[in-house]
Amino acid sequence: MIAGKVVGSVVSTRKSEKLTGSKFMIVEPVRSMQTQEIPAQIVTIDLIGAGIGEYVLVAQGSAARIGCGMENAPVDAAIVGIIDDGSELDQMQ
């Protein structure tokens, strides 16, 4: 799981029907968590209602599908939590 900040959204009118009704957000992992495996920005599915500027927890891979209840959907990253106080994470950016 990684922590990051929501920096934007993605609109996709044509997508897998298993993703219909889903919201997609762009998350920028805190700098200390960015590696070759974790890029500078990730497109995530958001079923909990995160907003731009909020710090979130992101699950990836099969944990993302399970965490958002979409085991049979093509989901690789999902917002699974909104961080109450991201002030310490601001220092990591």
Side-chain angles (χ1 to χ4, degrees), residues 18-80:
K18 293 180 180 183
L19 298 174
T20 300
S22 299
K23 177 176 139 184
F24 301 98
M25 304 301 281
I26 301 169
V27 174
E28 191 170 282
V30 293
R31 200 166 286 141
S32 63
M33 294 186 175
Q34 293 175 9
T35 65
Q36 283 186 334
E37 294 82 33
I38 301 173
Q41 293 187 334
I42 304 168
V43 176
T44 64
I45 195 165
D46 176 24
L47 301 178
I48 61 173
I52 294 174
E54 290 189 288
Y55 283 93
V56 295
L57 297 173
V58 176
Q60 294 184 291
S62 60
R65 289 187 295 280
I66 293 167
C68 67
M70 300 179 77
E71 290 86 0
N72 297 318
V75 173
D76 187 51
I79 294 174
V80 295

